[in-house]
Amino acid sequence: MPTALVTGASSGIGAAFARRLAADGYRLVLVSRDADRLTALAADVGGPAEVLPADLATEAGVAVVAERLAGEVDLLVNNAGSTLNRSFLKTAATDETALLRLNIEAVMRLTHAALPAMTSRGSGAVINVSSVSAFAPVMPGSTYPASKAWVTHFSESIGQAVGRHGVRVMALCPGYTRTEFHDRAGIDMSKTPSWLWLQADEVVAHALRDLARGRLVSVPNWKYRVAVFGMRHAPRAVFTRVANDTRGRLGRDTL
């Protein structure tokens, strides 16, 4: 039975990965700060599941998960991440540092911990959950898109390097997804049109299909693939005006 380790597994996309991978016959290692919710999820998935509480914004939390990855893990899903609900000019440097530790350093450290065993045996995969915001400086004043740009480029680069060893690394870049993510950050998304929202289960299904196809970057749903094309190819002056207008529609107080 293959083993999958999922971070940020207590809710949202992480929990959707856990349920789908359990149904696909994986033994799970579930990582999150919330031990109670992990325990409830482990009991609900219907298969073998190990609960590993850890705060990946801390050195101790990253270290305990990295040690677990040195064993037999066939799939790592780096899903844990966070954002801030204020502009860079209004946030504390400590909060920005914690965001970078979780969104960037933890992804790097855990990928680095998982790959030696995978490349040695010639099989395994890593999915690093990024965002469509990685493709352009959207959300003016927020460092979240910059952190996700790093995740996407890192995943593409490492994926190219380990492919010859039979290992896959992929960046998953979803758009707005129905999870607790924005609520936990205190961001009001009530003005976001309903047609923009994705469901976590469909994001996971798309990710696993793209992983099987050997994709380095996965963007679920055609509408977000169109958006990514525009982010990559629109003149910068035009894109800046659109980004500022979008921020206004979503509520300037949140950023």
Side-chain angles (χ1 to χ4, degrees):
M1 177 180 287
T3 299
L5 187 149
V6 182
T7 72
S10 61
S11 64
I13 292 174
F17 264 112
R19 290 189 295 267
R20 170 60 188 271
L21 293 171
D24 287 349
Y26 279 83
R27 176 187 297 107
L28 300 178
V29 182
L30 304 175
V31 178
S32 170
R33 292 179 299 174
D34 194 328
D36 291 339
R37 294 185 74 174
L38 285 183
T39 301
L41 177 63
D44 183 58
V45 294
E50 172 187 343
V51 171
L52 185 58
D55 182 352
L56 296 178
T58 68
E59 173 59 31
V62 171
V64 71
V65 180
E67 182 178 0
R68 179 63 181 81
L69 284 166
E72 188 77 11
V73 174
D74 302 278
L75 173 62
L76 165 63
V77 180
N78 276 315
N79 170 70
S82 68
T83 189
L84 300 172
N85 66 347
R86 291 183 180 276
S87 167
F88 184 75
L89 297 177
K90 296 180 179 179
T91 56
T94 52
D95 291 337
E96 295 287 356
T97 299
L99 181 146
L100 296 180
R101 284 177 176 163
L102 180 59
N103 290 7
I104 293 179
E105 183 179 342
V107 171
M108 181 275 292
R109 292 271 300 278
L110 299 187
T111 302
H112 190 268
L115 287 179
M118 291 181 180
T119 55
S120 177
R121 66 176 179 266
S123 66
V126 178
I127 299 175
N128 292 324
V129 179
S130 182
S131 166
V132 292
S133 69
F135 296 100
V138 295
M139 300 167 62
S142 172
T143 52
Y144 176 80
S147 73
K148 291 304 184 178
W150 185 92
V151 171
T152 299
H153 291 302
F154 167 75
S155 302
E156 285 189 273
S157 177
I158 304 306
Q160 293 177 56
V162 301
R164 66 180 183 271
H165 298 288
V167 178
R168 292 161 291 167
V169 177
M170 185 185 79
L172 170 60
C173 302
Y176 295 127
T177 305
R178 294 287 186 189
T179 69
E180 300 174 4
F181 181 77
H182 297 97
D183 290 340
R184 287 186 173 186
I187 299 175
D188 179 9
M189 300 297 293
S190 61
K191 296 182 180 180
T192 304
S194 60
W195 60 268
L196 282 176
W197 290 101
L198 305 176
Q199 299 299 320
D201 289 342
E202 70 176 298
V203 169
V204 169
H206 190 104
L208 293 175
R209 284 197 301 269
D210 280 353
L211 184 69
R213 293 167 179 165
R215 301 272 174 85
L216 294 173
V217 177
S218 173
V219 181
N221 196 282
W222 66 268
K223 56 197 168 194
Y224 282 108
R225 290 193 287 278
V226 171
V228 167
F229 181 87
M231 290 178 183
R232 284 175 159 170
H233 300 288
R236 185 58 63 187
V238 172
F239 179 79
T240 299
R241 288 197 296 272
V242 172
N244 285 334
D245 181 53
T246 299
R247 183 187 173 198
R249 288 199 303 272
L250 296 183
R252 290 185 179 273
D253 289 343
T254 65
L255 293 175

